[in-house]
Amino acid sequence: MKFSATGILYVVATPIGNLQDFTPRANTILSSVHLIAAEDTRHSRHLLDYFGITTPLQSLHEHNEREISPLLIQRLHTGESIALISDAGTPLISDPGFWLVQTAHSENIPVVPIPGPSAFVSALSVAGLPTDRFIFEGFLPAKTTARLQRLHSLAQETRTLVFYETPHRLLDCLADLIAAFGQERIGVLAKELTKVFETVQRDTLSNLVLWLTTQPERQKGEFVLVIQGAPPLDKQAITAEDKRVFYLLNQELPLKQAAKLASAITGVSKNLLYDLGLKK
Ligand code: SAM
């Protein structure tokens, strides 16, 4: 452990399924700190019992983190060290802990990462999509209108996109991805990573829907969605079918509206379609 007059806040990653991914360093730190702040103490108790770690636990979840963080900061000021863990993976990655880490920084308390698993990095590493640049979008909004709005704002994003999704929203989410990105965009469903039913399914968005619906038990489990980025604007090809959809709509609708709707159907940039309409 590092020497410090105040305690140290350790941010410790834990397994996302397979307990063998628990690192020796995580074990050492969790065994030696004064307190472990955990998202769900009952859940984490199983992990700690498995490794024989008896350090006291304090719950810190999204509903109490603003109240609990100042109390933990006080303890850090007295020289105690604290480890933050979440239910799975790396804390703060779509998980609580932001308030605690931010306050620790503002109070000059050292914050030390103990790296380990994170579902999105694991998914990216096997997706076979470009990883030199990517964006992590975490969970999409639960409500369809907000989700579609977010996805439309991302439709021309050229970097690989990564989302977390719950199993009961997976099909709705894929339907909205198709509406915003077009059905031919490549996606990867990284399911139950590191667990018994681990599956990495890579296909067009419409085939992924087929894959999930032909055997509905495939919809169960934890998923990361990795989606191919849009081609750069100057490389986007407009197919004959894209043009047909756009011209049909433009017969009935003003150019701006036709371009927007055709873009949602085909996945082609609305600016490209708009330009096409101007050249007609
Ligand atoms: N902090 C975690 C991390 O570092 O990945 C993420 C926590 S977030 C609340 C939970 C989401 O992560 C799940 O809904 C799922 O999208 C993803 N996830 C977690 N474990 C997973 C696994 N074993 N396989 C696939 N996705 C997983």
Side-chain angles (χ1 to χ4, degrees), residues 16-17 39 86 88-95 117-120 139 163-167 190-195 222-224:
I16 56 170
E39 190 181 1
S86 62
T90 302
L92 282 87
I93 304 299
S94 296
D95 265 341
S118 191
F120 87 88
F139 287 97
F163 302 96
Y164 282 164
E165 196 47 280
T166 57
K191 175 186 149 139
E192 294 284 275
L193 294 172
T194 78
K195 302 189 211 177
E222 295 197 281
F223 290 87
V224 181

Side-chain angles (χ1 to χ4, degrees), residues 14 88 192 240 249 279:
T14 57
E192 294 284 275
L249 289 167
K279 285 181 201 143

Side-chain angles (χ1 to χ4, degrees), residues 2-261:
K2 285 189 181 173
F3 176 78
S4 166
T6 64
I8 295 172
L9 174 62
Y10 293 95
V11 181
V12 183
T14 57
I16 56 170
N18 190 326
L19 291 184
Q20 289 185 40
D21 293 334
F22 190 59
T23 69
R25 191 166 172 229
N27 195 337
T28 305
I29 295 293
L30 293 182
S31 303
S32 56
V33 289
H34 296 85
L35 183 74
I36 298 172
E39 190 181 1
D40 177 342
T41 51
R42 274 207 319 196
H43 177 95
S44 293
R45 182 46 70 202
H46 292 300
L47 173 83
L48 301 179
D49 284 349
Y50 185 86
F51 288 100
I53 298 168
T54 54
T55 309
L57 282 167
Q58 157 71 55
S59 92
L60 181 126
H61 47 71
E62 61 171 321
H63 303 295
N64 75 357
E65 74 171 305
R66 290 199 194 203
E67 291 86 61
I68 297 295
S69 294
L71 304 177
L72 298 182
I73 294 292
Q74 273 176 20
R75 291 186 67 163
L76 286 157
H77 275 308
T78 68
E80 291 190 352
S81 285
I82 295 178
L84 171 69
I85 60 175
S86 62
D87 285 354
T90 302
L92 282 87
I93 304 299
S94 296
D95 265 341
F98 167 68
W99 288 101
L100 181 60
V101 171
Q102 189 195 41
T103 316
H105 279 290
S106 64
E107 304 253 344
N108 290 319
I109 291 165
V111 184
V112 173
I114 308 296
S118 191
F120 87 88
V121 177
S122 308
L124 261 176
S125 71
V126 294
L129 289 168
T131 50
D132 48 345
R133 299 179 73 212
F134 62 86
I135 59 164
F136 173 66
E137 281 285 316
F139 287 97
L140 284 161
K143 299 231 165 78
T144 307
T145 318
R147 187 167 56 230
L148 266 175
Q149 205 174 15
R150 174 81 52 84
L151 288 174
H152 279 300
S153 76
L154 292 169
Q156 299 312 319
E157 172 59 61
T158 53
R159 292 168 290 184
T160 299
L161 304 106
V162 189
F163 302 96
Y164 282 164
E165 196 47 280
T166 57
H168 66 277
R169 280 203 291 267
L170 187 59
L171 278 180
D172 288 344
C173 173
L174 277 167
D176 292 348
L177 276 164
I178 288 174
F181 295 4
Q183 57 181 9
E184 292 305 315
R185 192 77 78 88
I186 298 292
V188 178
L189 288 173
K191 175 186 149 139
E192 294 284 275
L193 294 172
T194 78
K195 302 189 211 177
V196 177
F197 294 106
E198 177 178 89
T199 312
V200 177
Q201 189 68 16
R202 188 179 190 279
D203 212 325
T204 60
L205 292 176
S206 55
N207 283 345
L208 287 178
V209 172
L210 268 181
W211 184 78
L212 286 168
T213 46
T214 45
Q215 287 185 36
E217 68 275 11
R218 288 176 174 161
Q219 295 164 33
K220 291 190 191 139
E222 295 197 281
F223 290 87
V224 181
L225 269 102
V226 187
I227 309 290
Q228 178 185 43
L233 274 189
D234 59 343
K235 299 246 165 56
Q236 278 193 18
I238 308 182
T239 64
E241 177 59 14
D242 298 335
K243 286 184 186 170
R244 195 182 70 82
V245 171
F246 168 66
Y247 288 135
L248 269 177
L249 289 167
N250 198 199
Q251 277 170 20
E252 305 294 330
L253 297 169
L255 177 57
K256 202 169 158 191
Q257 253 180 297
K260 192 173 167 197
L261 206 53

